[in-house]
Amino acid sequence: MSLLTALTKEVLTAILKSIDEGIHVVNMEGKTIFYNEVAARHDGMKVEEVLGKHILEAFPSLTAESSTLLKVIQTGKPIYNQTQVYLNLHGVRIDTINTTLPIFLNNEIIGAVEIAKDYSRMKLLAERLLELQKGLKQNKSKNTLKQVNYTLSDLKTVNADFIRMKEEAKRMAKSDSPILVYGESGTGKELFVQGIHHESLRSNGPFIAQNCAAIPESLLESILFGTAKGSYTGAVERKGLFELADGGTLFLDELHTMPIELQAKLLRVIEDGIVRRVGGTENTSVNVRVIAAMNVHPSEALQEQKLRYDLYYRLNVFTFPLLPLRDRKEDIIMLTDLFIKEFNRKLGKQIQGINQTLELFFLDYKWPGNVRELKHTLEYMVHVCDSGKLSWHDLPVILKQQSGNWNQDNRGNEGLSLRRNVEELEKKLVTEAMKQAGGNINQAARLLEIPRQTLQYKLKKLT
Ligand SMILES: Nc1ncnc2c1ncn2[C@@H]1O[C@H](COP(=O)(O)OP(=O)(O)OP(=O)(O)O)[C@@H](O)[C@H]1O
Ligand SMILES: [Mg+2]
């Protein structure tokens, strides 16, 4: 052995001994040639009990099929982030998340290395979280087991496409098929999903909502599917959200943040209605309707590999895209009116709508936060307004800036341009008619004395 090789080996050994992950290396015969203290601690073994022994001799509960190290030697293919549950020589159950890689020398496989993270601590955290949630539930605070506060009729709209979608949702609510709802933040997904549950034959059953982004990836599995007693240190028998939602609806928000491997498991449960707790052996049938939501477009989530194609195809049958507010101008007008009335009531005010300049800005503004942003903006404005109508002065500072730019862009070079002025006047008249008609296109068209189709075209142009 050259000096360099010997040195490299020393350095490598020192590193592998000191890192926080368990490292286990086997040769082509399946015999352990390196095994660090951390791996020994995970496994509840002594290094000497494993070193030099064949994997199946040191870990009798494993088989040639279930051992990832042996599999990688056979196939030469890496296995990433696999959870592993096994009994060590002392009969203690072990939980790890493993990445197992083949080792090649001159293009020839000479062994495999497994890097293992202790999973038990994470699971213990999952337990604590579930305990906490249970405690909260008993306190009747805001938690995953939600009260359904909204019906589809709370989702206000005068947009023809949205109205059609609500009608379809009402029909689909009666079926048990899974549903996917997507739309930008603040477009009403939560309202829509609660509305579907309310319309469904399960409305008396539980409605459980889980935001997949709110839980560390490694805990989500235990939260969704539950845990079996003894599956790791301190684990108790516990139902997951699927079992808790039995007879009702499980709402999985921000589905695209769910780890892709877990999505495969979710698909299986949706297909056969059977769950198995993490570390458990028993199968339980559940009758749960899954509704998923995302604030990104499915095509984007698919492309970025945040959503599995097979899961998407399963959910795709009933997919509801909720339109951004800027694409339904008539709703901007109707909702502005509605929210002003609501906040008048709440704040004891008597605001009579908004002035025309502000209205034009509202119609032109992109509303990235959609209805939520409109609602909060109006709450603020009604609060600060001390005249009869909301005007530019009442806008929150951030929108005032936007409105300033908008005014310059839209009015700066207005001058004598007949086209621009006519367009502007038309915009004003259309907006006013829509307002007087309470967002009803037929009625607004009558007021303007133009055909409905022409008005629809003009409204589209305003978008
Ligand atoms: N069509 C609507 N009619 C009345 N209120 C609405 C409508 N759409 C949304 N809202 C209101 O806007 C707010 C945001 O709605 P919701 O929580 O359903 O949005 P979301 O799409 O789930 O957003 P996020 O992706 O940020 O979770 C709520 O206060 C809701 O009541
Ligand atoms: Mg939401």
Side-chain angles (χ1 to χ4, degrees), residues 139-248:
N139 289 336
K140 296 213 170 21
S141 313
K142 199 171 179 237
N143 55 73
T144 48
L145 182 60
K146 279 205 170 170
Q147 257 193 309
V148 175
N149 300 317
Y150 297 108
T151 67
L152 283 174
S153 58
D154 291 315
L155 199 71
K156 306 291 184 201
T157 182
V158 285
N159 173 277
D161 290 337
F162 209 155
I163 292 172
R164 252 197 310 277
M165 208 150 65
K166 269 174 60 176
E167 282 161 2
E168 201 189 334
K170 214 166 182 173
R171 281 196 301 277
M172 289 315 140
K174 309 287 181 212
S175 94
D176 278 342
S177 301
I179 286 179
L180 176 65
V181 182
Y182 68 89
E184 291 177 11
S185 178
T187 46
K189 296 185 293 296
E190 174 94 34
L191 248 69
F192 195 73
V193 171
Q194 287 201 16
I196 291 175
H197 174 78
H198 185 263
E199 281 296 326
S200 76
L201 305 172
R202 309 167 165 267
S203 56
N204 287 327
F207 176 81
I208 294 193
Q210 179 63 58
N211 186 324
C212 301
I215 302 266
E217 288 185 3
S218 49
L219 304 186
L220 199 53
E221 187 176 8
S222 321
I223 302 260
L224 289 178
F225 304 108
T227 51
K229 190 174 166 70
S231 58
Y232 55 92
T233 325
V236 290
E237 202 68 42
R238 188 187 307 280
K239 288 181 180 180
L241 298 182
F242 262 98
E243 284 178 76
L244 292 172
D246 199 17

Side-chain angles (χ1 to χ4, degrees), residues 186 188-190 211 251 253-254 293 372:
K189 296 185 293 296
E190 174 94 34
N211 186 324
F251 171 32
D253 206 354
E254 304 209 36
R372 182 185 287 116

Side-chain angles (χ1 to χ4, degrees), residues 437-452:
N440 182 314
I441 296 187
N442 275 328
Q443 210 178 322
R446 269 200 300 279
L447 286 171
L448 292 163
E449 297 179 2
I450 55 172
R452 181 198 152 98

Side-chain angles (χ1 to χ4, degrees), residues 164-444:
R164 252 197 310 277
M165 208 150 65
K166 269 174 60 176
E167 282 161 2
E168 201 189 334
K170 214 166 182 173
R171 281 196 301 277
M172 289 315 140
K174 309 287 181 212
S175 94
D176 278 342
S177 301
I179 286 179
L180 176 65
V181 182
Y182 68 89
E184 291 177 11
S185 178
T187 46
K189 296 185 293 296
E190 174 94 34
L191 248 69
F192 195 73
V193 171
Q194 287 201 16
I196 291 175
H197 174 78
H198 185 263
E199 281 296 326
S200 76
L201 305 172
R202 309 167 165 267
S203 56
N204 287 327
F207 176 81
I208 294 193
Q210 179 63 58
N211 186 324
C212 301
I215 302 266
E217 288 185 3
S218 49
L219 304 186
L220 199 53
E221 187 176 8
S222 321
I223 302 260
L224 289 178
F225 304 108
T227 51
K229 190 174 166 70
S231 58
Y232 55 92
T233 325
V236 290
E237 202 68 42
R238 188 187 307 280
K239 288 181 180 180
L241 298 182
F242 262 98
E243 284 178 76
L244 292 172
D246 199 17
T249 305
L250 178 58
F251 171 32
L252 298 173
D253 206 354
E254 304 209 36
L255 177 72
H256 59 294
T257 64
M258 178 184 285
I260 212 95
E261 316 86 59
L262 199 54
Q263 290 184 21
K265 191 164 173 182
L266 172 66
L267 176 61
R268 280 200 302 278
V269 178
I270 289 177
E271 293 202 315
D272 55 25
I274 290 172
V275 286
R276 181 184 286 196
R277 294 182 189 169
V278 174
T281 49
E282 265 176 50
N283 290 336
T284 313
S285 289
V286 287
N287 168 17
V288 174
R289 203 271 180 90
V290 173
I291 306 185
M294 302 197 297
N295 55 17
V296 297
H297 196 284
S299 62
E300 192 185 314
L302 288 166
Q303 205 172 11
E304 290 179 5
Q305 299 183 348
K306 290 181 176 158
L307 179 65
R308 290 180 66 99
Y309 274 93
D310 48 8
L311 178 61
Y312 172 63
Y313 292 136
R314 184 69 185 87
L315 297 173
N316 188 28
V317 188
F318 300 120
T319 295
F320 294 94
L322 300 194
L323 289 173
L325 187 57
R326 62 184 163 279
D327 291 346
R328 37 188 172 109
K329 302 281 186 204
E330 57 275 46
D331 278 353
I332 298 181
I333 295 167
M334 180 274 296
L335 287 169
T336 297
D337 224 44
L338 187 88
F339 290 141
I340 289 179
K341 287 191 180 120
E342 182 181 326
F343 293 120
N344 269 343
R345 251 193 332 272
K346 281 190 181 151
L347 303 170
K349 295 270 194 147
Q350 266 137 20
I351 309 289
Q352 304 295 317
I354 69 177
N355 77 10
Q356 243 177 21
T357 319
L358 187 66
E359 192 159 87
L360 289 176
F361 169 67
F362 270 23
L363 286 172
D364 216 56
Y365 179 58
K366 297 291 175 242
W367 298 109
N370 294 289
V371 184
R372 182 185 287 116
E373 186 182 6
L374 177 67
K375 193 173 175 177
H376 289 322
T377 301
L378 286 167
E379 181 173 13
Y380 172 85
M381 294 180 83
V382 170
H383 195 79
V384 299
C385 180
D386 51 13
S387 62
K389 274 190 175 187
L390 300 183
S391 70
W392 185 85
H393 297 286
D394 306 314
L395 276 175
V397 178
I398 185 101
L399 284 193
K400 247 183 205 154
Q401 285 165 358
Q402 307 251 12
S403 162
N405 298 340
W406 174 82
N407 264 330
Q408 265 175 11
D409 289 351
N410 283 272
R411 295 168 180 275
N413 53 3
E414 203 172 72
L416 287 175
S417 160
L418 186 62
R419 189 179 55 79
R420 280 188 69 93
N421 279 294
V422 169
E423 271 175 12
E424 199 67 13
L425 181 65
E426 180 175 302
K427 211 169 172 181
K428 272 185 199 158
L429 293 172
V430 165
T431 313
E432 184 56 32
M434 284 299 285
K435 199 178 139 198
Q436 283 187 22
N440 182 314
I441 296 187
N442 275 328
Q443 210 178 322

